[in-house]
Amino acid sequence: MAAIGSPDPISVSEINNFTGELFKVGARRTPLLSMVGGLTGGKLLNSPVFQTQKVDTPAVTGYTTVAEGGTPAYFGRSRSSAIDCVQIWNQGVKLTYSALGSTGYLNSQAMESGTAAFEGSNPINDEMAFQLEELLSKIAREVEFEFFNATFNDGTDGNPREMRGIAEWVATGNGSSAYAHDTAGNGTGDAQGLDFDAVAETLKLMYDAGAPMSNPVLFARPGSILDLNQNLVKSGSNQMAVLPRDRNIAGVNIDSIITPFGNIGLAVNEFVPTDQAFILDLAYLDVCFLNIPGKGGVFVEDTDNDDAAAISKRVYMEIGLDKGPAEYHAVINGVS
């Protein structure tokens, strides 16, 4: 196996070690990415563009009996699809040989002044490994942001490809359930703090729409989670309670909320749009990568330094989020 700071290519196992250690620490800051597979899970695609299928959910209000020996009542489901795509991340780290050789110092420039650190006080013994881990951490947070906020562009207009974000996919008129939590209850009033009724009413909309509700999780901004907790305490409601972090999804421990429609997960996410919260069924979300022949979905490789006394490495991936049918999720609008 190549040393991380060496000019030799980095192996797949080393990449997995990077991302594995990263998400042990950072899962709470990228909960959605971590729950759907992180940078080392998910599925590989053979095209940068993919389709998400939508299927109608027929309402059942009764049954009409049929006579013996009659012809069958024929049935069919209406299907449609929407286009989505993977988005490119192409970022790197470049270090001089001097920076690579600077161990025993609190930063890579300290050697120039001869100010060595006290023995054992330097947390960085491999500058390239440290910089790559920091880069992966930043990339993970950028991906998490785009999962919620990206605006779809398939690149046919000459601009870079951009995935379809959850806020765009789970929107009114796209088949998903939308609850208006503003003071007017119709989208024209003032936003207000998230509360139990908003969560319960949104779950009811999902249930009435035929959503499977296999593994629903509420994603909301920190302030919204605080409002939810405070409003619950003020109301003295015994209908809902927040349970400790004893629910685990893909290695991420999250709280649970007891509702009339069963327990749902609760995840704090700073990248949720400021006036919204989402109930997402994680059973139908899957991170996906374009499979680069001979390299895979996420890889680190050397880049050309033009004879400079330095080593540079690139982290490259094309990543997207298969969100499943929009009607399996819901949005709460008008959240302050």
Side-chain angles (χ1 to χ4, degrees), residues 60 173 186 203 253 275 283-284:
V60 176
N186 58 12
L203 288 170
N253 292 322
D275 59 346
Y284 300 94

Side-chain angles (χ1 to χ4, degrees), residues 81-106:
S81 63
I83 299 296
D84 208 332
C85 68
V86 292
Q87 187 171 329
I88 296 172
W89 263 262
N90 181 12
Q91 301 179 22
V93 171
K94 184 175 183 178
L95 295 173
T96 65
Y97 291 149
S98 296
L100 286 170
S102 299
T103 58
Y105 298 90
L106 293 179

Side-chain angles (χ1 to χ4, degrees), residues 104-229:
Y105 298 90
L106 293 179
N107 65 73
S108 59
Q109 284 75 42
M111 60 170 291
E112 297 178 5
S113 60
T115 54
F118 289 110
E119 184 178 357
S121 65
N122 181 19
I124 308 304
N125 293 315
D126 188 325
E127 190 68 25
M128 180 61 79
F130 168 76
Q131 295 293 343
L132 283 172
E133 287 175 2
E134 291 298 306
L135 175 58
L136 284 166
S137 178
K138 181 181 79 74
I139 289 174
R141 288 169 56 76
E142 291 170 345
V143 170
E144 186 89 356
F145 177 89
E146 290 290 277
F147 275 177
F148 283 100
N149 298 283
T151 301
F152 175 70
N153 191 320
D154 62 4
T156 56
D157 61 357
N159 291 309
R161 277 184 274 114
E162 188 170 8
M163 71 179 79
R164 194 184 302 275
I166 289 170
E168 182 180 8
W169 181 235
V170 186
T172 303
N174 202 26
S176 64
S177 299
Y179 178 75
H181 184 53
D182 61 282
T183 53
N186 58 12
T188 64
D190 296 329
Q192 53 184 347
L194 189 62
D195 58 24
F196 166 69
D197 288 340
V199 175
E201 290 290 344
T202 304
L203 288 170
K204 182 180 182 300
L205 289 176
M206 296 175 67
Y207 183 85
D208 292 343
M213 301 175 71
S214 302
N215 190 11
V217 174
L218 171 66
F219 287 85
R221 295 178 66 85
S224 298
I225 298 298
L226 182 60
D227 287 338
L228 177 62
N229 181 68

